[in-house]
Amino acid sequence: DYARYFLTIRDIVDFAETVHLRDGDGLKLETGDIVQVVAQPEALMEVRAGSPEALLKLAWHIGNRHLSAMIEADRILIRRDHVIGHMLEHLGATVTEVEAAFDPEGGAYHGHAH
């Protein structure tokens, strides 16, 4: 058996530059051990549509409102916002509240000063 420790990344590492760690990534320690990155689930909304084309239109509406979104082949995950959820349902989406890891797409200006 082993003890499980729940630490934030800041508790164990100090990177010289910003590093994007994703759920399932690993950090190799000086001892050779690997610490797996496990994303903490967040309160999200799962957005689905009846067709790929309809999902693309919903993605456009989400992006037009500058919302962070995790885009997958058959769904879009966004942070819970009941006003946005209602708008998306009005546009034909199926919106379900879920708890999941959230790794949204980086923006067009990600990493650039502005």
Side-chain angles (χ1 to χ4, degrees):
D1 278 294
Y2 61 92
R4 291 188 82 172
Y5 296 96
F6 295 95
L7 305 168
T8 66
I9 274 302
R10 289 185 197 122
D11 292 330
I12 60 173
V13 294
D14 184 19
F15 293 113
E17 296 179 19
T18 301
V19 175
H20 187 116
L21 298 172
R22 298 180 191 279
D23 187 52
D25 285 351
L27 298 171
K28 188 171 184 178
L29 305 178
E30 292 175 356
T31 62
D33 294 329
I34 296 177
V35 176
Q36 183 178 4
V37 175
V38 178
Q40 182 175 353
E42 298 183 41
L44 304 172
M45 292 189 308
E46 177 184 75
V47 180
R48 292 187 181 265
S51 70
E53 294 82 9
L55 190 62
L56 284 172
K57 289 179 184 178
L58 294 169
W60 183 88
H61 284 282
I62 291 167
N64 192 44
R65 284 152 184 85
H66 302 279
L67 300 174
S68 295
M70 184 172 162
I71 301 169
E72 298 179 348
D74 61 345
R75 70 179 186 166
I76 302 169
L77 294 173
I78 59 175
R79 289 192 173 93
R80 283 190 195 165
D81 180 321
H82 295 289
V83 172
I84 296 296
H86 180 72
M87 176 204 70
L88 293 169
E89 288 173 337
H90 183 72
L91 293 168
T94 301
V95 178
T96 307
E97 291 187 353
V98 298
E99 296 276 332
F102 189 53
D103 187 18
E105 295 294 318
Y109 302 105
H110 181 72
H112 298 284
H114 53 276

